[in-house]
Amino acid sequence: MTTYAKTSPYYNTPITNNYLDVINFRDIPNQVDDLLFQVTATYEHRPDLLAYDLYKDAKLWWVFAVRNKSVIKDPVFDLVAGVKIYLPKASTLTQVLGI
């Protein structure tokens, strides 16, 4: 049985007969202290870079799409300059993801 790291978007996704099932994202709850951020050209199509700059871990690129489901459908191509998204605090991710 293969298991995925706690930072992986596939962490909660079951594996059946050596096949990854439909992805089951972990919930990133809304917090009153989440930062509203307007994406800049630096981070356009680069959720990995934003995750690294915020959390020192590029593998957390997927949390922006999970936290901003109404704004981001495609975690790479919907991250464009000018779009406003909420950024969870590192302490929230530590608690929720167990990292």
Side-chain angles (χ1 to χ4, degrees):
M1 177 173 180
T2 304
T3 57
Y4 290 89
K6 291 181 179 182
T7 56
S8 172
Y10 304 108
Y11 183 76
N12 281 349
T13 303
I15 299 171
T16 308
N17 297 327
N18 293 324
Y19 293 100
L20 189 64
D21 205 339
V22 176
I23 193 164
N24 183 12
F25 283 111
R26 296 158 80 182
D27 187 41
I28 307 295
N30 301 354
Q31 301 289 325
V32 294
D33 58 352
D34 287 348
L35 176 67
L36 182 61
F37 174 74
Q38 185 168 346
V39 177
T40 62
T42 302
Y43 300 114
E44 187 166 65
H45 307 302
R46 294 300 308 271
D48 58 329
L49 185 58
L50 181 57
Y52 182 79
D53 286 350
L54 288 173
Y55 311 123
K56 303 299 180 230
D57 192 342
K59 295 176 197 161
L60 294 171
W61 59 268
W62 56 273
V63 301
F64 308 121
V66 172
R67 171 59 181 86
N68 297 279
K69 293 174 188 160
S70 63
V71 178
I72 300 175
K73 302 297 182 213
D74 182 305
V76 174
F77 293 108
D78 287 347
L79 197 67
V80 294
V83 169
K84 292 182 181 179
I85 61 171
Y86 285 98
L87 305 176
K89 291 174 54 176
S91 58
T92 300
L93 296 184
T94 300
Q95 179 183 16
V96 171
L97 303 179
I99 54 175

